């Protein structure tokens, strides 16, 4: 597998100077509108990224976070299917290509890649940025209406990241129906209650189509979370750009991107025996782990020093990790 960290550095370098010539106020306004759309409740039948200003603001502000979230989801999936790598990849609603970068960072080699999006300015900028990554220089950037009626060629991997919230419920179902032509489908949404609800619906549709869940769930049965009581989400740490600090007014050099996801496959897969679903609580001589387990239950497990190497692993465990760790982790 490749190193997402080095790809993240390459992406940041490719994004450097992207906002040159764009007034900071215009960039900030574009970002605020995009945040409202991506974390809001209003679906749309028009492209969210409307022009170069929108696309530049999105790429500089959101691309590193989307890359980090999708990379984390793909890493969890790769752990469940060791030795496998996609030979073909379709990125649905891929915009400027963050998920495409994440796939190339997760698995070695090159592969035919098609990025589908309905915003031509996003595709144009994605093509421009991809020139900085040799694995993506031959990718196809294709304009398409995302939603019902979308045609997706058979592929090893289809990614659908941060796009379902832009669509009506029927359009989401139509998109996912088209995605079932793939061997593996990875869906990533914002880590909000609404984002989780969309992921949960996608999960159910993919299972009904014959897919098995490889991550994050340790099973393909119903989610044990009582509807309305909580939601399943994780976090990926992202270095803050100057635009992040300008828009949010934060002083920290990083932020945590909250995301929900599901990775479903027709391949033989070995899901994690359990998944850490909250930030581990480290106390004197013990670690408290909140786990989603293979018997369809949520449980808190206490790991103490008397557990030896398992205790050391628990102290290193992170929110979203498999438990116990996969061999080699």
């Amino acid at each position: 597998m490749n190193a997402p960290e080095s790809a993240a550095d390459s992406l940041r370098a490719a994004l450097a100077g992207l906002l040159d010539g764009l007034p900071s106020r215009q960039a900030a306004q574009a970002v605020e509108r995009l945040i409202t759309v991506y974390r809001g409740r209003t679906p749309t039948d028009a492209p969210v990224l409307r022009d170069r200003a929108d696309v530049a603001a999105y790429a500089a502000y959101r691309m590193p976070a989307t890359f980090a979230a999708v990379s984390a989801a793909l890493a969890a999936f790769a752990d469940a299917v060791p030795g496998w790598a996609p030979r073909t990849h379709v990125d649905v609603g891929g915009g400027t290509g963050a998920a495409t970068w994440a796939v190339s960072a997760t698995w070695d080699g090159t592969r035919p890649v098609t990025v589908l999006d309905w915003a031509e300015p996003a595709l144009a900028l994605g093509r421009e940025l991809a020139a900085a990554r040799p694995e993506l220089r031959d990718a196809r950037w294709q304009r398409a209406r995302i939603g019902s009626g979308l045609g997706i060629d058979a592929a090893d991997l289809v990614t659908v990241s941060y796009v379902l919230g832009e669509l009506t419920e029927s359009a989401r179902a139509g998109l996912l129906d088209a995605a079932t032509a793939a061997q593996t489908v990875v869906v990533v949404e914002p880590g909000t209650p609404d984002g989780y609800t969309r992921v949960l619906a996608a999960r159910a549709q993919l299972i009904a189509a014959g897919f098995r869940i490889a991550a994050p769930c340790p099973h393909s049965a119903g989610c044990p979370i009582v509807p309305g009581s909580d939601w399943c989400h994780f976090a990926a740490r992202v270095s803050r750009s100057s635009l992040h600090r300008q828009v949010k007014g934060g002083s920290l050099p990083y932020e945590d991107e909250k995301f929900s996801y599901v990775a479903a496959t027709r391949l033989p897969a070995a899901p994690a025996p359990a998944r850490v679903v909250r930030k581990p609580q480290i106390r004197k001589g013990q670690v408290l782990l909140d786990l989603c387990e293979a018997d369809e239950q949520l449980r808190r497990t206490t790991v103490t020093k008397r557990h030896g190497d398992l205790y050391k692993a628990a102290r290193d465990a992170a929110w979203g990790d498999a438990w116990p760790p996969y061999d080699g982790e």
Side-chain angles (χ1 to χ4, degrees):
M1 289 172 60
N2 281 331
E5 293 81 6
S6 63
D9 290 340
S10 297
L11 180 58
R12 279 191 290 269
L15 290 169
L18 188 62
L19 297 179
D20 285 352
L22 181 64
S24 59
R25 180 179 175 83
Q26 185 179 358
Q29 288 175 338
V31 167
E32 289 288 6
R33 186 181 66 80
L34 291 169
I35 290 173
T36 300
V37 172
Y38 283 117
R39 297 190 180 274
R41 298 170 179 262
T42 306
T44 178
D45 290 320
V48 172
L49 301 176
R50 301 176 302 191
D51 53 31
R52 175 77 184 193
D54 273 1
V55 173
Y58 168 81
Y61 182 82
R62 284 296 309 160
M63 226 179 143
T66 302
F67 169 84
V70 178
S71 292
L74 294 175
F77 173 74
D79 283 337
V81 286
W84 179 85
R87 294 167 298 179
T88 54
H89 172 216
V90 177
D91 186 8
V92 178
T96 53
T100 302
W101 280 71
V103 170
S104 75
T106 303
W107 288 285
D108 292 320
T110 59
R111 59 192 56 84
V113 177
T114 301
V115 183
L116 303 176
D117 201 273
W118 51 9
E120 184 58 43
L123 294 168
L125 187 59
R127 187 182 300 111
E128 178 183 329
L129 291 170
R133 189 157 184 83
E135 298 93 330
L136 301 179
R137 287 174 183 166
D138 294 328
R140 293 173 57 222
W141 301 80
Q142 182 177 324
R143 190 173 186 184
R145 184 175 180 82
I146 307 301
S148 299
L150 177 68
I152 300 177
D153 293 336
D156 283 355
L157 173 65
V158 167
T159 52
V160 184
S161 59
Y162 292 83
V163 67
L164 296 183
E166 302 174 30
L167 305 175
T168 64
E169 186 174 348
S170 62
R172 292 173 204 154
L175 186 162
L176 288 164
D177 184 58
T180 59
Q183 270 193 328
T184 295
V185 179
V186 177
V187 176
V188 183
E189 283 287 297
T192 62
D194 286 343
Y196 162 68
T197 298
R198 292 189 291 269
V199 167
L200 199 61
R203 181 184 187 274
Q205 186 172 344
L206 291 167
I207 290 171
F211 285 76
R212 295 177 293 276
I213 304 304
C217 320
H219 57 79
S220 296
C223 178
I225 295 176
V226 176
S229 67
D230 202 353
W231 69 99
C232 182
H233 64 293
F234 305 95
R237 183 145 293 183
V238 186
S239 296
R240 272 181 166 167
S241 67
S242 59
L243 182 58
H244 280 81
R245 293 190 290 271
Q246 177 187 340
V247 172
K248 291 195 170 181
S251 59
L252 291 175
Y254 64 85
E255 67 177 5
D256 290 326
E257 170 69 8
K258 306 289 177 58
F259 66 99
S260 294
Y261 78 97
V262 65
T265 188
R266 299 186 188 278
L267 299 163
R275 181 77 57 185
V276 180
V277 293
R278 288 288 180 271
K279 184 178 180 180
Q281 299 180 41
I282 300 177
R283 299 179 179 175
K284 187 175 181 179
Q286 62 182 13
V287 181
L288 307 183
L289 298 177
D290 290 307
L291 304 173
C292 179
E293 300 190 329
D295 61 357
E296 305 165 42
Q297 298 291 325
L298 296 173
R299 288 193 181 90
R300 171 166 288 183
T301 295
T302 301
V303 185
T304 65
K305 285 186 175 180
R306 65 184 177 82
H307 290 102
D309 289 343
L310 203 60
Y311 172 70
K312 295 178 183 177
R315 287 185 61 85
D316 291 336
W319 183 10
D321 282 355
W323 185 260
Y326 284 103
D327 290 341
E329 284 193 0

